[in-house]
Amino acid sequence: MSAADATPTTSASKTTRGPYSTGIARRRQIIETATKIFGQHGYHGGSLRQIADEIGVSASALIRHFGTKAELFTAVLDHSDSDKSKVSITENRGMTALRGFAAVTHINVHNRGLVQLLLSTASESTDPDHPAHKFIALRYSQLLENLSNAFRQACEDGEIRPLSESEIEHEARGYIALMDGLGLQWLIDPTMDLEATAEHVYEGVLRRLSADL
């Protein structure tokens, strides 16, 4: 292929990438703004009009990208759980995984809107007809399973005292409740040192469980 033959292809490629890139950027902007609005007002309280006004576009522009409010909300939730910067307890084992879960607060303090979104959604979605009910139920189920595995591994590795299966479930549910409860207090009182409080509370749990070794 000659240089002359290659020129039109390169030009067409640039033309294709331009609008595509713009579309991706706009989609991300919509999701980030929707995260903020839904976090502040919940699914039912947050409207497409509020999101559109915040961005400076029409509500019909949002529909072109996401179809419906429910689909936009689902996209927001999917995005919140696909953040690669989050500490994953599935990447580590035992005590390291348990401490990694507590370290998620380092991410949370820089993502207030995300914390608002997840906690307000968790509260609203106790209604089985809420569009996020299945998503939140699955999210808590996976958290419970992962944390239970981490506690079980910590027992196997001799990092904490032996626990029965029922005790493991209780500790795992308590871990989740601590995270949500501390997050809620921080949203109400932003002067609270979320990271330091979480570290203190979670380390207290781990010290209690390893005290009899």
Side-chain angles (χ1 to χ4, degrees):
M1 180 182 289
S2 68
D5 292 332
T7 302
T9 302
T10 303
S11 176
S13 177
K14 287 182 178 179
T15 301
T16 301
R17 284 198 302 269
Y20 180 71
S21 178
T22 301
I24 291 177
R26 173 64 76 186
R27 182 181 176 88
R28 184 174 184 86
Q29 182 186 27
I30 292 171
I31 288 176
E32 289 176 349
T33 304
T35 297
K36 173 185 173 183
I37 297 299
F38 287 137
Q40 292 175 338
H41 305 285
Y43 173 76
H44 295 296
S47 69
L48 291 180
R49 171 56 61 191
Q50 288 172 295
I51 297 168
D53 288 346
E54 182 90 6
I55 298 172
V57 300
S58 65
S60 60
L62 302 187
I63 297 301
R64 284 198 298 273
H65 280 276
F66 294 97
T68 66
K69 178 182 176 182
E71 288 175 14
L72 171 57
F73 190 65
T74 299
V76 167
L77 294 176
D78 285 341
H79 177 72
S80 74
D81 255 24
S82 65
D83 188 342
K84 302 303 182 184
S85 65
K86 285 185 177 179
V87 177
S88 173
I89 58 174
T90 60
E91 295 175 359
N92 297 299
R93 177 182 175 85
M95 189 74 82
T96 302
L98 294 172
R99 288 198 168 104
F101 180 78
V104 170
T105 53
H106 176 71
I107 306 299
N108 290 347
V109 294
H110 300 292
N111 292 274
R112 183 179 178 84
L114 180 58
V115 177
Q116 284 181 310
L117 172 69
L118 291 174
L119 289 180
S120 63
T121 301
S123 177
E124 284 188 345
S125 65
T126 54
D127 177 1
D129 294 328
H130 191 283
H133 179 77
K134 289 183 179 179
F135 177 93
I136 293 297
L138 178 61
R139 186 172 186 274
Y140 275 113
S141 175
Q142 291 175 336
L143 271 177
L144 179 61
E145 179 181 358
N146 291 334
L147 282 168
S148 294
N149 285 335
F151 276 108
R152 196 172 293 113
Q153 291 162 356
C155 291
E156 294 170 358
D157 296 343
E159 296 172 317
I160 60 176
R161 66 175 177 80
L163 298 172
S164 67
E165 281 301 309
S166 61
E167 287 176 317
I168 286 174
E169 180 179 344
H170 296 331
E171 296 294 346
R173 289 190 183 279
Y175 237 58
I176 297 169
L178 284 172
M179 181 64 74
D180 285 357
L182 292 175
L184 180 59
Q185 291 182 63
W186 172 68
L187 290 175
I188 294 172
D189 178 12
T191 65
M192 168 185 167
D193 190 335
L194 179 60
E195 288 185 79
T197 303
E199 181 180 0
H200 176 83
V201 172
Y202 281 116
E203 282 299 321
V205 172
L206 298 179
R207 281 196 302 272
R208 170 173 57 80
L209 293 176
S210 60
D212 296 332
L213 289 179

